[in-house]
Amino acid sequence: MEVLILGPVVVRAGGVVIAVDRPLERAALVCLALARGLAVPDSRLAEGLWGDEVRGRPAERLWSVVSRLRATLGAQADVVERTAAGYRCTATMSDLLAAESASARVRAAELTGDHAAVRAEVAAALGHWRGQTLADVRSAPLVAEARRLDTWRLELTTAGIAAAVESGDADEVVTELSRLVAAHPVHETLGRLYALALYRTGRQADALSSLDRLRRAVTDRLGDAGDRHAGAADAAARSAAPFGVARSHCPVSG
């Protein structure tokens, strides 16, 4: 059985989708799947479902949730089992595993300076997302995990854009960079890539203006410390703009 998490949660077995409609059961399945086959202690699973609101007798409450989940899974109920250490799930997160595998190839290609391979593997990794990670799971601990995975998604995107700029294809990514910089105004790597892409497409004045906006945004966010930090980054970016951009090696999730 597969549990797909890079978007709204999808559960399927043999290509057939299994509807896990109740939010609490869906969250329990995701919590267990994220443990990658390891048993999850009751206290941790309860915290993943109810956060700080968990009260007395969590084992009984968990038994009720897991019993309903197993009933929903029908013929696949055995993928969720009880062990001495807690509940465990043997389902695979096939989309996350595939994205992680592509991300590892991105990192290897970055180390050898193979920009074409970086771009291809970034595209392969990003192709496994179907929208916002865990879009239909709202428990607080899982929302935090979703944000972490979406941050990783942005890092992958940034790695692909950096490879495009280094390959001489700044014109292909300058519009996407504009959108990303607007959404993440204090993201230094994106800001510097945007300035570099503008410079390499003949828009030197716009490149300098974008660096000024980045500096102001960082200063507004971090105050005096941000001013000093942004000033150093600004000077580095201005001196590097005609030549290249520092690579940001893309980590494997987890």
Side-chain angles (χ1 to χ4, degrees):
M1 191 181 84
E2 300 172 287
V3 179
L4 309 182
I5 67 170
L6 300 181
V9 176
V10 174
V11 182
R12 66 189 183 195
V16 177
V17 173
I18 302 172
V20 182
D21 295 327
R22 293 184 177 180
L24 203 56
E25 293 162 24
R26 187 163 57 240
L29 180 59
V30 170
C31 283
L32 293 171
L34 284 168
R36 304 184 188 229
L38 298 177
V40 180
D42 287 353
S43 59
R44 195 173 117 207
L45 182 56
E47 183 180 356
L49 297 181
W50 296 292
D52 295 335
E53 297 178 5
V54 63
R55 294 291 184 266
R57 300 190 300 179
E60 294 181 16
R61 295 176 69 185
L62 287 174
W63 182 87
S64 178
V65 172
V66 173
S67 294
R68 293 197 304 268
L69 171 60
R70 285 170 54 85
T72 298
L73 296 177
Q76 301 298 318
D78 288 346
V79 302
V80 177
E81 61 183 7
R82 181 70 179 173
T83 73
Y87 291 101
R88 70 184 290 264
C89 177
T90 58
T92 60
M93 298 175 293
S94 54
D95 56 350
L96 178 59
L97 293 175
E100 287 175 339
S101 179
S103 178
R105 295 192 296 271
V106 169
R107 182 167 59 181
E110 284 184 321
L111 293 174
T112 62
D114 188 342
H115 303 311
V118 169
R119 296 175 71 178
E121 296 300 345
V122 165
L126 295 178
H128 294 287
W129 265 269
R130 295 166 287 107
Q132 182 181 350
T133 305
L134 295 172
D136 53 353
V137 175
R138 296 269 61 88
S139 73
L142 289 177
V143 168
E145 176 66 10
R147 287 176 182 151
R148 186 187 72 82
L149 289 171
D150 280 334
T151 296
W152 174 48
R153 181 186 188 184
L154 181 61
E155 290 170 353
L156 281 165
T157 301
T158 303
I161 290 173
V165 173
E166 290 284 22
S167 300
D169 295 325
D171 57 319
E172 296 182 11
V173 295
V174 69
T175 300
E176 182 180 8
L177 274 168
S178 176
R179 176 183 62 79
L180 288 170
V181 166
H184 307 279
V186 296
H187 193 296
E188 273 190 46
T189 302
L190 283 174
R192 285 151 57 187
L193 278 170
Y194 184 42
L196 182 58
L198 289 169
Y199 187 96
R200 291 190 174 176
T201 53
R203 298 167 59 184
Q204 286 83 356
D206 289 340
L208 293 175
S209 294
S210 72
L211 288 174
D212 288 338
R213 285 194 298 274
L214 173 62
R215 184 178 185 279
R216 289 196 301 271
V218 172
T219 300
D220 289 344
R221 179 69 62 89
L222 301 178
D224 291 340
D227 192 24
R228 292 190 297 273
H229 180 68
D234 180 45
R238 288 173 189 267
S239 63
F243 309 110
V245 64
R247 292 177 181 82
S248 175
H249 298 302
C250 186
V252 176
S253 171

